[in-house]
Amino acid sequence: MPTYYKLVRDHIPEIIEKTGKKFTTKILNSTEYIEELKKKSFEELEEYVNATNKEEAIEELADVLEIIRALADYHDISFERLEEVRQKKANKRGGFKERIFLIEVEDE
């Protein structure tokens, strides 16, 4: 039986159950949950980085967004409030649309 030891989406046990396969899960405590969410964020971002076409990239970005929503919820902040913070930072420092790549800055 393969072992995974990773955080999965909420409906995965139901999906596995429908296949008739046996499985084992556990509910994580708060400390374990945030640790696993952080790990999952790297996993999902890596899958996005390795996407080979637009459709895959979109699917993986959706997974990254789901993790961001879960992290926001864990930190007791609404996604809307998170978006406000993002917008405030974008207004102050800009976004990444201009594709600016900083090479060097003169020392004093």
Side-chain angles (χ1 to χ4, degrees):
M1 181 182 294
T3 56
Y4 293 92
Y5 292 102
K6 69 178 194 174
L7 184 65
V8 296
R9 288 175 174 264
D10 298 340
H11 295 299
I12 295 300
E14 295 168 26
I15 293 167
I16 296 170
E17 192 170 56
K18 287 179 183 177
T19 69
K21 295 179 182 177
K22 295 187 184 304
F23 60 94
T24 305
T25 62
K26 78 171 197 170
I27 302 301
L28 301 174
N29 66 36
S30 186
T31 302
E32 294 168 323
Y33 178 58
I34 189 63
E35 182 179 314
E36 293 302 318
L37 269 176
K38 289 176 181 180
K39 284 183 196 176
K40 193 73 170 176
S41 69
F42 285 106
E43 177 188 324
E44 297 299 349
L45 191 55
E46 183 176 23
E47 289 175 3
Y48 165 73
V49 168
N50 292 323
T52 58
N53 59 55
K54 184 177 180 177
E55 291 75 28
E56 277 184 31
I58 292 168
E59 286 289 321
E60 299 309 333
L61 282 173
D63 290 343
V64 170
L65 187 57
E66 191 66 36
I67 293 296
I68 290 170
R69 285 182 174 274
L71 287 164
D73 187 54
Y74 176 84
H75 291 291
D76 200 29
I77 183 172
S78 70
F79 192 75
E80 292 74 22
R81 176 68 181 121
L82 185 60
E83 174 58 20
E84 288 172 15
V85 172
R86 186 207 62 79
Q87 186 63 53
K88 184 178 177 182
K89 289 184 81 170
N91 290 342
K92 184 176 180 180
R93 302 185 70 161
F96 296 96
K97 290 181 181 182
E98 300 295 323
R99 303 179 186 187
I100 298 167
F101 186 77
L102 183 63
I103 305 298
E104 62 186 353
V105 177
E106 182 181 36
D107 281 342
E108 293 181 40

